[in-house]
Each structure stands twice: as structure tokens, then as C-alpha cells.
Amino acid sequence: MFDDSTTQCLLFPGIFRKPVVAQFDQRDGSSDGGALLLKAADRRLGLLEELTACLEDQRQAGKVDHSLRELVGQRVFSIACGYPDANDSARLAKDPIHKLLLDRDPVEGNDLASQPTLSRFENGVGIKELYRMSEALARTVLRRHAKRLRRRAYRVTIDLDPTDDATHGGQQLSFFNGHYDNWCYLPVLGFVSFNEEAEQYLCAAVLRPGNVTAAVGAVGLLRRLVGMIRWYFPGVIIRVRLDGGFAHPTVLDFLDAQPKLEYVVAMAKNAVLKRIAAPGVRRARQLSRRSGKTEHIYGEVRYAARKWRCPRRVVIKAEVVRAPGKDPKDNPRFVITNLKQSPQWIYEQVYCQRGDIENRIKELHDLEIDRTSCSRFWANQFRVLLTAAAYVLMQELRLRAAGTACARAQVCTSRERLLKLGARVRVSVRRVVVHLPTSFPFQPSFAHIAMSFGAQSG
């Protein structure tokens, strides 16, 4: 590592045909030249304006150097570029591209906000503001896709899933969770998808204490999302897919009460359900013994748990799993649903499709949505929302990359291919020129995305 007192020069003798000197002397350069796409994406979405409008500025006007819009933008853009912590602001304060993203002169403009300023900002956001920001995030995502689809979607699917956010300090409401065997928070993430499209778009990210069950807060979150979806897509059929942690009577009652709403909710096995599934498991065991492979058969039952107000349809997957070198293992699965189709179709074509949500959650962890190191719980919720906003921008880039080499790239791959570009910035009286490398291998993808945002070839 080199500090400011060390000469910014490295000599590589004896490695190449000639001695190679690397000098850190490009004063108007940046390693995030492609982040211009993030600015273009936000201009189309209006996300940062929506989030900023939810905040109240209680600072003394005469002492303000950085507007709320700039502080939100600085954090969201830097997270998308791979700088998740406010401490990174010290490295980015003079970066010409990051200044340009905030509408400052990239060379002569004032430096960006410092770490203390950003930390005060994060800790100053209140509960009501966070609630409004959560609604603004969902509203922006749904409005964008309503415009894209011209409000003609015939089905919108909601997926909710909790994830663990390990904590390593004295954060408020951090508790030990026996399931994850760790001190953690337990955020719940919400995604929407449209018609038969594979992409699941993030629309909600709610931080929760580490000792809650999966279903805590689910009804309130679903109620808000269902209401917004019906506003932007009148008459649409809504499908909700949930894992076993959400199989709570209050959640099921809410789903049953909604018109034009389909649901599939996994359910943990119990003694009654295992007894009901036993004949199917025996049959699957016979099939597995003959084939030497994993086998399963499907069935269904009308079932009512003790705390349910009425019986519900439960799809049964009676499965016997075989793995090399191991004994066969019974693996019955149960899914509660109000769909009318066959059990096999419901399980394989509807419920199993929610598995891709794990890839979306992995991407959010790659963006370090779990960088919740503030002492205050609500400051950490704010960080979660900022990371969610960065992810929404990255998903917009992926959507615009359709038909290119970056069409299905993971978020981290998209960042490496599209954003992390060495750039030199030159400012004249009439314009700002960002010089990017001619040898950039993903130039066609970059140009395709830029043109979709309204850029013109010159």
C-alpha cells in the first residue's frame, strides 16, 4: 500500500524487454469512466429525485455545501461502482467522473462530501422518511415497467424472500439467529416479474431485527405492493410466491381475501402431512429402487392446520432422493395454493421458478447490501435502501443491454465490463470530453446501452 508521502511511481525492471515505469500522475483521470451510464439510467428512471423528495433537510441553509440530492446520488453511484462504505468517499472526493455524475465541473468543481458528512447524513434520516423512500423505490420500479409494457401485463408475480445479514459489532436490534447460527439482521427482499419474463426486478428491501420470523411484516409489505401493482396495472392477475417461512395464518388469510390473486406458499412438513404423504413416498421409493435414480410423484390434499380458519389445497411432492454413496432419503415437500392446475404443473412450473430469486439476492450481497455497520438500526435501513437503489440502476443497465454480450451478465460482471473503465476527462468552454480506451472489448455493448438512453453517435 502507498500513502500520500510515497512517490507514486513503480519500476518493473527485468520483467519486460524494456524497464516499465508505472506513474500515478493522471490528474484528471478516473477508473469509473463507464459510470456515465448510471447517470443516464437515473435520468430515465427519476429514481434519485423520487428518493430525495422523501427527505427533509433540517440543516442551516447558510452552512450547506452538499444538497440532499447530491448526498443521495454520491452514495448510490459509488455503491454501484463498488464503493459500498462512506469511508470510500475520501478516495472519491476529487474523482472527475463522480463529480460529473453530480453535475459538478469534473476538474474545477468542489470536492464531493467527506466521510463525516455522509455519516451524519445516514444517521439523520427518520423512520417516516425511510417509509416514504421504500414506497418511492417500489413506485419508481413499477412505473418504469408499466411504461415499458404499456400497462398491458396480464400477470405480475411477487416474490418475497428473507436473507441473513451477519453483524459483527454492537448494532441496534442485532440478535442471534439459531437458523443461521450467527448474530445478524434478517432483511426481507421483494421482487416483481412480468408475464413470462425471467428477470425479477427488486422493488422492496426492508431491514428487520435478527430474531424475527420470516412472516413478520410480510402482510404490510404485500398490501403495499398489491395496491401499487393494481394502480399501475389495472385488472392484472397477481401471483405471489413465498417460501415456507411465510406460511403463517395471517399471511394466508390476507392472500385469500385478495381478488384476482394467485399464490403458492411452501409449508414445512409436520407429522400429519408426513402421514398423508406416506403412500406417495412408498410409491416413489419403489420407483427409485427400480431406476436407481431420484424419483418423485405428486398428489394433493385438503388440509387445515390447527390455527387456520379454513381448509386449503396443499400440493404434495413425494420424493426419494438418491446420491452416490448414500442411502436413499425421503424428501416430501408441501405447497399451499389456490391455483386449480395439476399438482405437478403447480410445483414445477410455478413454485420452482422462484428459485432464481437466489441469484438476485446473491447479486445484492455482491453489491454489499449487508454493509450495515452503523450503530443505529435506522441508519442501516437507509444503507439498505441506498444499495437497493444502486441495484435498480444496475438492473436497468442489464435491461437495456438486451441482445448484447452483457444481456444476462451478473451485476458484478456488468460493473467490470461497463463501469470500470479508465478515463481521462477534458473540459472546454463548450463541452466535457471523456476519453475512453479504444481497446475496450465491450464497446458494442456500451454503445448499445448508451444509444438506448438517447446518446447520439458523432
Side-chain angles (χ1 to χ4, degrees):
M1 296 294 293
F2 296 90
D3 58 28
D4 293 338
S5 63
T6 304
T7 176
Q8 299 296 292
C9 176
L10 298 171
L11 176 64
F12 294 92
I15 298 178
F16 305 97
R17 294 178 61 185
K18 295 181 179 180
V20 173
V21 178
Q23 289 185 273
F24 295 90
D25 58 0
Q26 183 57 260
R27 302 186 67 86
D28 299 325
S30 173
S31 60
D32 296 314
L36 300 175
L37 294 178
L38 295 174
K39 177 74 169 180
D42 178 63
R43 183 61 60 88
R44 289 302 178 95
L45 290 174
L47 178 58
L48 297 188
E49 287 294 340
E50 287 274 0
L51 296 179
T52 304
C54 300
L55 301 174
E56 299 177 3
D57 195 348
Q58 299 180 348
R59 300 172 297 175
Q60 297 181 24
K63 299 181 179 180
V64 172
D65 293 326
H66 309 278
S67 68
L68 293 181
R69 169 66 174 76
E70 289 176 329
L71 294 176
V72 172
Q74 181 178 345
R75 289 293 284 126
V76 171
F77 290 139
S78 62
I79 289 170
C81 289
Y83 310 103
D85 204 288
N87 291 332
D88 296 316
S89 60
R91 307 180 185 95
L92 301 174
K94 299 180 182 297
D95 189 290
I97 290 295
H98 284 265
K99 289 198 288 186
L100 184 61
L101 295 179
L102 299 182
D103 300 318
R104 297 193 173 196
D105 186 290
V107 177
E108 302 295 335
N110 293 333
D111 290 350
L112 304 183
S114 64
Q115 178 271 323
T117 298
L118 292 174
S119 293
R120 286 193 298 271
F121 173 54
E122 291 178 343
N123 282 275
V125 179
I127 300 174
K128 292 182 180 179
E129 294 170 295
L130 291 170
Y131 183 88
R132 291 195 295 266
M133 291 181 72
S134 297
E135 288 193 324
L137 180 75
R139 189 167 55 245
T140 301
V141 172
L142 292 172
R143 183 177 63 236
R144 191 277 182 254
H145 294 288
K147 182 178 180 180
R148 175 175 68 91
L149 299 169
R150 300 179 182 178
R151 296 179 180 261
R152 294 177 182 173
Y154 58 84
R155 184 174 63 244
V156 178
T157 301
I158 302 173
D159 289 295
L160 299 185
D161 211 22
T163 184
D164 65 310
D165 173 0
T167 55
H168 305 283
Q171 292 100 314
Q172 282 182 333
L173 302 183
S174 167
F175 294 103
F176 185 82
N177 188 296
H179 178 75
Y180 294 103
D181 193 28
N182 203 354
W183 288 80
C184 64
Y185 289 129
L186 197 67
V188 61
L189 304 170
F191 299 82
V192 290
S193 52
F194 304 92
N195 303 331
E196 304 301 325
E197 295 178 354
E199 185 74 38
Q200 296 158 314
Y201 299 96
L202 180 69
C203 63
V206 180
L207 194 66
R208 302 179 303 173
N211 61 348
V212 301
T213 61
V216 170
V219 171
L221 181 55
L222 286 170
R223 181 178 288 112
R224 291 196 299 274
L225 291 179
V226 168
M228 288 184 185
I229 290 170
R230 295 203 189 283
W231 171 263
Y232 286 104
F233 298 91
V236 74
I237 294 175
I238 299 175
R239 179 177 290 172
V240 177
R241 301 184 297 199
L242 306 172
D243 74 2
F246 293 93
H248 191 276
T250 57
V251 176
L252 297 174
D253 289 345
F254 170 79
L255 296 174
D256 281 330
Q258 303 305 306
K260 299 187 72 172
L261 186 145
E262 307 168 345
Y263 64 84
V264 285
V265 183
M267 182 178 182
K269 63 188 73 172
N270 58 39
V272 175
L273 287 175
K274 286 196 290 185
R275 185 170 63 251
I276 295 172
V281 172
R282 285 195 295 269
R283 177 60 178 156
R285 198 180 298 126
Q286 293 173 355
L287 295 174
S288 179
R289 194 179 302 119
R290 294 172 189 169
S291 67
K293 301 177 182 178
T294 296
E295 297 286 353
H296 53 257
I297 61 174
Y298 291 94
E300 62 178 281
V301 67
R302 295 290 295 181
Y303 171 80
R306 184 177 302 173
K307 295 184 179 180
W308 292 5
R309 63 176 179 82
C310 63
R312 295 182 171 92
R313 186 188 187 196
V314 177
V315 168
I316 303 171
K317 179 185 179 183
E319 182 178 54
V320 173
V321 178
R322 281 185 179 270
K326 296 183 179 180
D327 294 332
K329 181 181 178 181
D330 296 345
N331 184 38
R333 298 295 185 93
F334 307 94
V335 173
I336 311 163
T337 184
N338 65 347
L339 290 170
K340 307 301 182 183
Q341 289 85 348
S342 70
Q344 181 173 358
W345 186 88
I346 291 171
Y347 195 92
E348 295 181 355
Q349 302 301 318
V350 180
Y351 179 72
C352 287
Q353 302 307 312
R354 72 177 300 276
D356 199 45
I357 197 175
E358 297 297 332
N359 292 324
R360 306 287 79 76
I361 293 175
K362 180 181 181 297
E363 289 183 319
L364 282 162
H365 281 289
D366 288 339
L367 279 183
E368 300 194 51
I369 198 170
D370 52 358
R371 186 62 71 91
T372 49
S373 54
C374 294
S375 298
R376 293 183 64 251
F377 177 80
W378 296 116
N380 286 322
Q381 169 65 80
F382 187 39
R383 284 192 169 193
V384 166
L385 284 174
L386 293 173
T387 306
Y391 184 73
V392 168
L393 295 182
M394 294 300 292
Q395 283 197 303
E396 179 67 15
L397 296 189
R398 181 159 57 197
L399 179 62
R400 299 278 181 163
T404 73
C406 298
R408 295 300 300 164
Q410 295 286 303
V411 161
C412 278
T413 302
S414 295
R415 182 166 63 200
E416 292 170 0
R417 291 181 177 181
L418 300 173
L419 306 186
K420 309 304 286 187
L421 297 177
R424 183 181 60 181
V425 181
R426 289 288 179 263
V427 180
S428 67
V429 175
R430 297 175 56 188
R431 61 180 180 174
V432 176
V433 180
V434 179
H435 297 273
L436 301 174
T438 57
S439 59
F440 173 37
F442 295 99
Q443 182 177 348
S445 299
F446 187 95
H448 178 89
I449 296 170
M451 302 276 273
S452 75
F453 285 128
Q456 301 176 357
S457 60

